[in-house]
Amino acid sequence: MNTNTKYLQVVDNIYKILMTSELSGNVGLLAGTSGIALFIAYYDRIILQSNSLNPRVIEILEHNIKCIDSGNRAHSICSGISGFGWLCEHLRKMGMLNQEDVEFLDDLDPFLYNRMMVDIKQGNYDYLHGALGVGTYFLARLEKKDVPTYLHDLLAEVENSGILSENGGIKWISLLDHKTGREGYNISLSHGMSSIAAFLIRLHHLNFEKARVDKLLLGTILYILDQMTSVESNISYFPSHSKESSEGNNYSRLGWCYGDLGIACILRRVAIALKKPEWENTALEVLCHNADRRNIQENLINDAGFCHGSAGIAHVFLNLYLSTRVEKFKETVDYWLHITLQMAKHPDGLAGFKAWHSEGQRGFENVDSFLEGIAGIGMVLLSYLKNDEILWDECVMLS
């Protein structure tokens, strides 16, 4: 059996499970039902070669609307309404929904704007759980009349909350530990300043307030670059948070969420946009080093999930290979997809997969959602099988 056939078998198993799984009250894109719908839509498009809306996707859309009508007011892209809204706009752009199907979002936009502004004024720019995720939803609706104003207000607050550091860098304070309330400076992609840069680079490409955006981009990257450490004493170039907030632990795991991979991917995109070849060279140096990081225990890889597992690593390198054609990155994709198949080792798992949760000694759990569960694993495998259909990964800030 060739490798692609094995991947397809796993994808088919995931599809069968998600077609009948119980739907939660979480309507979000990355941790809820919307991510399941996204995978099913792409499976139909890629494997079944159908652009019609699957009855299961319709069921999920209707389920989510009922949850919202019943009082669900979670707003984040990860676990709330803006994630559901992003899904609807994405399905429209795929040709699976029409404009009339998404008109209900017009009534939700003022609520999401208000929640986004509360978040950013409280310093919660967090992509997964705060203002920038909602901002990403509004980027998908830029043609709507009020949305440019919404994005202008968000950008103004991002600018106002930035703190000037040495060498012209700009940094933003955030909550590092929810249990202790410890604050500091986070440079990661999932929760930190790399997500600010990822949001700004999309504004740059849209020519949205370009002078202000480029100034903020420059300052953000200057601060992030100041956090680089020596790989002679660490396994990574960047710490999990920043050198001033990492309490002496100037190393980070291998994964999409924290550390070198997400940071260097954003650095490279900004370098190309701002015509900074020295930054691009630095990014590629970091990425090539990380392509050689293969020790699963040392790099804290316990499962296959997108967030901090092997499938997410594989997709990051697939994204890089498709844009650079560096053969080392393609070999790295194949390695981590092989590891992903090995992670399907749980007899009582979903398609053999379980997500690892260290907090509260929870251990391995069955998860069907995108960020940590089988929907994301399936999406990565689908994208490998047909990599001219990767239209979705803007929702994880990779495009």
Side-chain angles (χ1 to χ4, degrees):
M1 184 185 300
N2 67 40
T3 302
N4 281 9
T5 301
K6 292 179 182 178
Y7 295 157
L8 184 57
Q9 282 187 345
V10 174
V11 168
D12 288 344
N13 287 339
I14 290 172
Y15 181 77
K16 290 172 185 175
I17 292 168
L18 295 181
M19 284 293 289
T20 58
S21 60
E22 183 177 354
L23 299 179
S24 74
N26 184 328
V27 304
L29 180 66
L30 300 178
T33 54
S34 293
I36 294 171
L38 184 68
F39 166 77
I40 292 171
Y42 269 88
Y43 180 96
D44 288 351
R45 184 183 180 105
I46 292 171
I47 305 300
L48 303 182
Q49 298 184 347
S50 169
N51 214 43
S52 299
L53 206 60
N54 189 301
R56 174 63 165 173
V57 176
I58 295 173
E59 178 190 2
I60 292 173
L61 298 180
E62 292 175 345
H63 167 86
N64 288 356
I65 291 172
K66 287 180 182 178
C67 286
I68 294 169
D69 288 345
S70 298
N72 184 335
R73 287 296 181 266
H75 66 286
S76 72
I77 196 166
C78 185
S79 303
I81 296 171
S82 63
F84 173 47
W86 184 93
L87 168 72
C88 293
E89 285 290 359
H90 193 69
L91 293 176
R92 180 182 66 82
K93 291 171 184 176
M94 290 174 69
M96 292 183 168
L97 292 176
N98 58 40
Q99 187 61 48
E100 291 73 26
D101 294 325
V102 301
E103 284 184 351
F104 74 95
L105 294 174
D106 294 346
D107 297 329
L108 295 172
D109 283 354
F111 163 76
L112 289 172
Y113 166 73
N114 288 331
R115 292 300 300 267
M116 177 180 74
M117 295 307 294
V118 168
D119 278 344
I120 195 63
K121 288 179 179 179
Q122 292 178 344
N124 179 17
Y125 65 81
D126 191 299
Y127 176 77
L128 294 181
H129 308 298
L132 291 183
V134 184
T136 297
Y137 158 74
F138 282 126
L139 284 176
R141 290 172 59 76
L142 190 58
E143 74 279 1
K144 304 298 290 187
K145 179 171 66 75
D146 294 327
V147 167
T149 300
Y150 295 166
L151 290 172
H152 166 85
D153 292 349
L154 173 60
L155 184 61
E157 287 297 329
V158 169
E159 183 178 45
N160 291 339
S161 58
I163 301 168
L164 194 64
S165 65
E166 296 178 6
N167 303 324
I170 304 174
K171 59 186 179 181
W172 285 265
I173 198 163
S174 61
L175 186 63
L176 301 181
D177 190 321
H178 287 271
K179 292 181 180 178
T180 65
R182 182 170 72 93
E183 293 184 327
Y185 301 102
N186 188 334
I187 60 172
S188 75
L189 182 57
S190 55
H191 305 292
M193 286 173 235
S194 291
S195 68
I196 294 178
F199 183 76
L200 293 172
I201 197 61
R202 293 193 62 202
L203 292 177
H204 167 94
H205 288 306
L206 292 166
N207 291 309
F208 187 92
E209 298 195 31
K210 207 157 179 290
R212 171 186 272 177
V213 165
D214 288 1
K215 179 182 176 183
L216 288 170
L217 261 177
L218 181 66
T220 308
I221 296 301
L222 286 174
Y223 179 78
I224 290 173
L225 285 172
D226 278 346
Q227 310 315 307
M228 284 189 71
T229 63
S230 170
V231 290
E232 294 177 1
S233 55
N234 296 302
I235 61 173
S236 64
Y237 278 90
F238 291 96
S240 289
H241 297 125
S242 69
K243 285 191 290 191
E244 59 183 313
S245 298
S246 290
E247 299 181 332
N249 298 321
N250 291 327
Y251 62 88
S252 54
R253 70 187 309 152
L254 186 67
W256 167 83
C257 52
Y258 276 92
D260 288 6
L261 279 189
I263 294 168
C265 284
I266 298 306
L267 173 59
R268 179 176 171 270
R269 288 176 57 204
V270 174
I272 293 170
L274 298 187
K275 297 180 173 59
K276 296 278 191 180
E278 68 279 14
W279 288 1
E280 186 176 10
N281 290 337
T282 297
L284 289 172
E285 177 186 345
V286 173
L287 292 164
C288 285
H289 166 76
N290 279 266
D292 291 328
R293 291 173 66 180
R294 302 290 176 88
N295 186 310
I296 293 176
Q297 288 75 32
E298 181 181 61
N299 292 302
L300 304 178
I301 298 158
N302 297 302
D303 61 25
F306 192 95
C307 184
H308 43 255
S310 58
I313 298 169
H315 188 76
V316 170
F317 279 106
L318 177 62
N319 179 290
L320 288 165
Y321 172 70
L322 294 174
S323 61
T324 66
R325 295 298 168 176
V326 172
E327 196 60 31
K328 183 173 188 174
F329 294 156
K330 171 62 167 62
E331 187 271 330
T332 306
V333 175
D334 293 336
Y335 174 81
W336 286 111
L337 288 182
H338 173 71
I339 295 298
T340 296
L341 291 190
Q342 291 185 339
M343 293 287 185
K345 59 188 178 183
H346 303 278
D348 58 341
L350 302 178
F353 296 103
K354 286 195 171 189
W356 172 256
H357 294 115
S358 58
E359 66 273 13
Q361 297 181 329
R362 287 160 55 188
F364 284 105
E365 296 179 334
N366 284 332
V367 179
D368 60 7
S369 61
F370 186 99
L371 196 61
E372 296 186 343
I374 59 171
I377 297 168
M379 187 68 87
V380 169
L381 294 172
L382 275 177
S383 297
Y384 179 83
L385 293 169
K386 194 168 188 342
N387 52 50
D388 60 346
E389 288 282 2
I390 305 177
L391 308 174
W392 57 269
D393 66 4
E394 69 176 52
C395 75
V396 285
M397 296 175 284
L398 293 177
S399 62

